[in-house]
Amino acid sequence: MILYLLKSAFCLALLLVVYHVMLEKEKTHRFNRFYLLFSLCFAFVMPILQIETTPDVLPIPEFGFRFFKNLTGLRKEIVQNTTIDYEGAKIVLVNKPILPYTFFKFYFHQ
């Protein structure tokens, strides 16, 4: 119960600081009242909610395989297509319909 009260007090304090910094001098009293009522309800409900997150991380072997596969595909595109040097960069003219993209100093364009 003590932890709940501390979390609620922290939320109230944080939302009150936001109110004093941003909204206290505003002339829209209806919005200010809505904000204060919302912040009161939010501060009492927020400590009850349990938000669990799990990182969406790919396993290392699959990630490394995909990376090298994509590098090999880019190298293949560079070798098979016409390359033009332009102001320190290389423009690769791809023979199939693609959206233009870059990889380091290589510009892939249709």
Side-chain angles (χ1 to χ4, degrees), residues 8-44:
S8 180
F10 178 74
C11 283
L12 278 172
L14 185 67
L15 293 168
L16 186 64
V17 167
V18 170
Y19 173 77
H20 279 294
V21 170
M22 299 178 73
L23 298 172
E24 188 175 36
K25 295 180 182 173
E26 291 294 320
K27 301 294 183 200
T28 55
H29 298 294
R30 181 174 287 168
F31 178 75
N32 288 355
R33 280 189 219 119
F34 173 75
Y35 176 81
L36 290 172
L37 287 172
F38 172 76
S39 63
L40 185 65
C41 295
F42 181 78
F44 286 124

Side-chain angles (χ1 to χ4, degrees), residues 1-98:
M1 185 68 176
I2 298 285
L3 186 61
Y4 170 78
L5 291 174
L6 288 174
K7 288 180 181 179
S8 180
F10 178 74
C11 283
L12 278 172
L14 185 67
L15 293 168
L16 186 64
V17 167
V18 170
Y19 173 77
H20 279 294
V21 170
M22 299 178 73
L23 298 172
E24 188 175 36
K25 295 180 182 173
E26 291 294 320
K27 301 294 183 200
T28 55
H29 298 294
R30 181 174 287 168
F31 178 75
N32 288 355
R33 280 189 219 119
F34 173 75
Y35 176 81
L36 290 172
L37 287 172
F38 172 76
S39 63
L40 185 65
C41 295
F42 181 78
F44 286 124
V45 172
M46 190 60 189
I48 296 172
L49 299 176
Q50 294 288 330
I51 301 172
E52 295 182 21
T53 60
T54 56
D56 188 24
V57 179
L58 295 173
I60 298 298
E62 181 181 335
F63 178 72
F65 175 73
R66 183 182 294 172
F67 177 71
F68 286 112
K69 179 183 167 195
N70 289 340
L71 282 179
T72 305
L74 287 173
R75 180 70 180 149
K76 181 179 167 186
E77 290 289 332
I78 293 169
V79 170
Q80 288 180 349
N81 294 301
T82 306
T83 305
I84 301 171
D85 289 329
Y86 180 74
E87 294 183 11
K90 294 186 182 278
I91 300 174
V92 180
L93 301 175
V94 182
N95 294 328
K96 57 186 175 185
I98 61 164

